């Protein structure tokens, strides 16, 4: 892999402190400081950094839990779709066998059976679509509830932190 001229520190004028004041230690006070020390000793006005970190950890945990719930819901839907597909294939095979055994029957009887089979198939398809949409709505609702609960909790934490800051 070849290096582009931009990343070649010796030939790029951007990396020369004479051309770039941000890289000149006399003009940029952050270059002479240990940033870890700066952030460790940083004072926030009334806010506890550990509380903020803990709150963000809780936020990430809530997002992970909501994602897990959503993924489990999708997996359940996919599993159910597979079951529905198997049922359809089994029913189709049964109808084909039945149609083969009724070859000599009257055309009116065959048409009536076919119409009944179509009606049943349509009713089952609508029922399956309703079931899948309910599964999806339930999964989304559960994931939303996790996030909503954490949001409410987070707002209460912010109110508490502000109240503590006012007391100081």
């Amino acid at each position: 892999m070849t290096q582009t001229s931009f990343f070649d520190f010796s030939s790029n004028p951007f990396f020369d402190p004479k051309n770039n004041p941000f890289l000149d230690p006399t003009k940029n006070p952050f270059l002479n400081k240990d940033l870890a020390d700066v952030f460790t000793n940083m004072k926030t006005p009334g806010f506890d950094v550990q509380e903020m970190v803990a709150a963000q950890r809780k936020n990430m945990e809530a997002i992970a839990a909501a994602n897990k719930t959503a993924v489990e819901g999708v997996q359940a839907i996919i599993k159910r779709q597979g079951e529905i597909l198997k049922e359809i294939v089994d029913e189709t095979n049964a109808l084909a066998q039945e149609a083969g055994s009724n070859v000599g029957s009257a055309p009116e009887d065959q048409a009536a059976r076919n119409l009944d089979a179509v009606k049943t198939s349509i009713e089952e398809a609508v029922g399956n679509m309703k079931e899948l949409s309910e599964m999806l709505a339930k999964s989304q609702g559960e994931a939303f509830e996790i996030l909503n609960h954490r949001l409410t909790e987070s707002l209460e934490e912010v109110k508490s932190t502000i109240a503590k800051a006012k007391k100081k």
Side-chain angles (χ1 to χ4, degrees):
M1 185 170 146
T2 60
Q3 230 180 7
T4 63
S5 61
F6 178 82
F7 293 108
D8 182 9
F9 296 115
S10 61
S11 67
N12 188 332
F14 178 78
F15 295 109
D16 185 358
K18 295 176 200 160
N19 299 326
N20 187 345
F22 292 107
L23 297 177
D24 185 353
T26 61
K27 296 178 182 171
N28 186 342
F30 291 105
L31 292 178
N32 295 326
K33 297 228 182 235
D34 180 12
L35 289 181
D37 185 45
V38 170
F39 287 113
T40 303
N41 297 322
M42 184 172 80
K43 302 288 184 217
T44 54
F47 297 106
D48 182 2
V49 174
Q50 294 303 321
E51 281 181 20
M52 290 171 32
V53 169
Q56 289 306 313
R57 181 181 39 77
K58 289 179 188 177
N59 291 344
M60 292 299 117
E61 289 170 354
I63 290 170
N67 283 338
K68 181 177 183 251
T69 300
V71 167
E72 288 171 353
V74 169
Q75 288 173 338
I77 290 169
I78 291 170
K79 180 181 177 193
R80 182 62 186 127
Q81 284 176 326
E83 292 168 355
I84 291 169
L85 182 60
K86 184 183 180 314
E87 291 170 8
I88 290 170
V89 168
D90 291 345
E91 289 172 11
T92 302
N93 287 336
L95 285 172
Q97 287 177 353
E98 182 183 326
S101 66
N102 293 329
V103 171
S105 62
E108 296 84 17
D109 293 338
Q110 287 179 358
R113 277 192 294 275
N114 289 342
L115 286 174
D116 287 341
V118 168
K119 179 183 175 198
T120 302
S121 295
I122 291 171
E123 289 170 349
E124 288 176 1
V126 169
N128 290 335
M129 288 178 5
K130 181 180 178 192
E131 178 187 1
L132 292 173
S133 67
E134 287 170 352
M135 289 174 71
L136 180 61
K138 180 182 177 209
S139 173
Q140 289 176 337
E142 289 171 355
F144 176 77
E145 188 57 38
I146 291 169
L147 294 175
N148 189 37
H149 177 73
R150 178 59 199 140
L151 177 64
T152 303
E153 220 176 51
S154 181
L155 291 174
E156 290 300 320
E157 291 169 358
V158 169
K159 283 170 58 175
S160 172
T161 302
I162 292 171
K164 287 178 190 176
K166 282 184 179 180
K167 288 179 184 178
K168 289 184 180 182

